[in-house]
Amino acid sequence: MAKIKVANPVVELDGDEMTRIIWKFIKDKLILPYLELDIKYYDLGIEHRDATNDQVTIDSANAIKQYGVGIKCATITPDEARVKEFNLKQMWKSPNGTIRNILDGTVFREPIVINNIPRLVPNWTAPICIGRHAFGDQYRATDFLVKGKGKLTIKFEGENGETIEHEVYNFKGDGVALAMYNTDESIRGFAHACFNMALQKKWPLYLSTKNTILKKYDGRFKDIFAEIYANDYKAAFEKNNLEYDHRLIDDMVASALKWNGNFVWACKNYDGDVQSDTVAQGFGSLGLMSSVLITPDGKTMEAEAAHGTVTRHYRDHQQGKPTSTNPIASIYAWTRGLAFRGKLDSNAGLIDFCKALEDVCVETVQSGKMTKDLAVCIHGNKVSHGKDYLYTEEFLDALDENLKKKLGK
């Protein structure tokens, strides 16, 4: 079988720990044998980020801007323990946060539904797509410790000489403070991305905020969405019998648990971080979640694994113990990124290949071959290797074999 020619490059962002090991297998066994592909490689492993003072993260984001497609492995966001473990120069920020802020897109996370994986929320019979605003808020905030008594103020100095200043709090002793921000431009881009995604999927859209408490901050999200809906999307939504509504996040969480699915949920940055993990677990596993970042103009995408680096499994791997780590979300990072490349390039063969690989992932699990996390969902904690689940390499080999069969190789 001749390799599928991919006309334009994709940017590969390598990662850390167990996911880095799985990533190489996916690339070498499931991607490169089938595609003639120009990959612009960036090593976002924690050691290399530290060696480059995190410049590699910025460079990789700019490369994604240049080429239109990024495909990212899971990476470590260091805490105090990680700084010590790797002897880092400083506690570098989340690479995901850095990339999102440079690209200023919206992250859409959606569960990969596999029939034999039971749901923790049984009535979730159809996917829920979480649209996460990926700019500013806590991920671009300035936070610091304060020592002793003192007054905390916040100040804005306008270019026109106008000054806005507020007294925030009078500290009687030690404490902590945080200031965060967002921009109308970014919120508008977020709104357009969410309305377009809802129309594409033919699903209703709900925006959730806490505007009763953050009347100005969250109220700005509510107002901008309402304005853009009225001006640009109301007619299309009504034509397709779709609903758009703003809901208080408390109400939205309760509603989401009761509904069956097939809706887009627009969340602010931190809310989206939390709720997408809740949705992933509710559908069975964090390892069954696709995640894509799309810019407001729809011309740039970064696809990533929606989970962490699976440190616990990596520790076992370092000791020579067998692991059973689910690679499906990492595979979907490749397929969703490459399918977007196919869409940009009008490359039907590439899009078909990506769908075939995704189908193989689902069909292999439905045939009874799976990793331990999925077996536990079905059988409970008392599962045994060989009978109920496969080790990491065995499952990847099964996917490799089934992909060859599907493609007739």
Side-chain angles (χ1 to χ4, degrees), residues 171-189:
F171 282 91
K172 304 294 185 282
D174 295 356
V176 65
L178 173 146
M180 65 184 194
Y181 64 89
N182 225 293
T183 68
D184 282 8
E185 180 187 15
S186 179
I187 298 167
R188 288 181 190 282

Side-chain angles (χ1 to χ4, degrees), residues 271-289:
D271 296 340
D273 194 356
V274 174
Q275 297 305 334
S276 59
D277 282 354
T278 302
V279 165
Q281 292 291 8
F283 275 92
S285 170
L286 254 182
L288 294 177
M289 194 77 160

Side-chain angles (χ1 to χ4, degrees), residues 377-391:
C377 291
I378 298 171
H379 305 292
N381 286 325
K382 291 182 180 177
V383 290
S384 56
H385 170 251
K387 176 173 173 283
D388 302 306
Y389 71 88
L390 302 173
Y391 291 140

Side-chain angles (χ1 to χ4, degrees), residues 67-273:
Y67 295 109
V69 179
I71 299 171
K72 182 182 174 295
C73 181
T75 47
I76 291 168
T77 299
D79 55 11
E80 289 89 345
R82 294 295 206 171
V83 171
K84 191 176 177 184
E85 178 187 345
F86 292 101
N87 194 26
L88 303 179
K89 296 170 190 169
Q90 67 180 72
M91 198 186 300
W92 303 108
K93 289 190 175 181
S94 158
N96 287 345
T98 299
I99 293 162
R100 286 168 192 153
N101 281 315
I102 290 170
L103 295 180
D104 189 16
T106 296
V107 175
F108 291 99
R109 288 190 171 172
E110 188 178 326
I112 299 157
V113 179
I114 300 180
N115 291 338
N116 57 330
I117 305 301
R119 326 276 191 261
L120 286 176
V121 183
N123 55 292
W124 281 357
T125 53
I128 295 168
C129 181
I130 304 277
R132 174 186 171 188
H133 188 210
F135 181 81
D137 295 356
Q138 288 93 324
Y139 299 82
R140 207 82 181 268
T142 300
D143 64 326
F144 55 97
L145 300 174
V146 299
K147 293 294 178 186
K149 291 182 179 180
K151 185 188 291 183
L152 177 68
T153 63
I154 194 165
K155 185 178 182 180
F156 170 78
E157 295 177 353
E159 261 192 358
N160 61 359
E162 180 192 354
T163 299
I164 302 170
E165 189 166 8
H166 292 280
E167 183 178 314
V168 180
Y169 189 66
N170 259 314
F171 282 91
K172 304 294 185 282
D174 295 356
V176 65
L178 173 146
M180 65 184 194
Y181 64 89
N182 225 293
T183 68
D184 282 8
E185 180 187 15
S186 179
I187 298 167
R188 288 181 190 282
F190 173 46
H192 283 293
C194 291
F195 285 120
N196 281 322
M197 180 61 79
L199 284 172
Q200 181 187 315
K201 289 185 168 294
K202 301 287 190 286
W203 292 354
L205 172 67
Y206 303 98
L207 166 69
S208 64
T209 74
K210 193 73 173 176
N211 69 307
T212 50
I213 303 299
L214 297 170
K215 292 181 173 65
K216 294 285 195 298
Y217 199 104
D218 283 24
R220 193 69 187 134
F221 281 78
K222 177 178 180 286
D223 293 347
I224 286 174
F225 265 72
E227 173 203 321
I228 288 174
Y229 176 67
N231 292 340
D232 299 335
Y233 295 98
K234 191 169 189 282
F237 266 61
E238 287 176 351
K239 183 183 174 185
N240 287 282
N241 294 315
L242 298 177
E243 179 186 14
Y244 164 67
D245 196 14
H246 166 267
R247 289 171 175 248
L248 197 62
I249 190 162
D250 317 53
D251 175 38
M252 188 62 211
V253 169
S255 297
L257 286 168
K258 294 171 189 169
W259 295 342
N260 299 114
N262 283 348
F263 61 90
V264 181
W265 180 357
C267 292
K268 289 174 62 219
N269 209 340
Y270 182 79
D271 296 340
D273 194 356

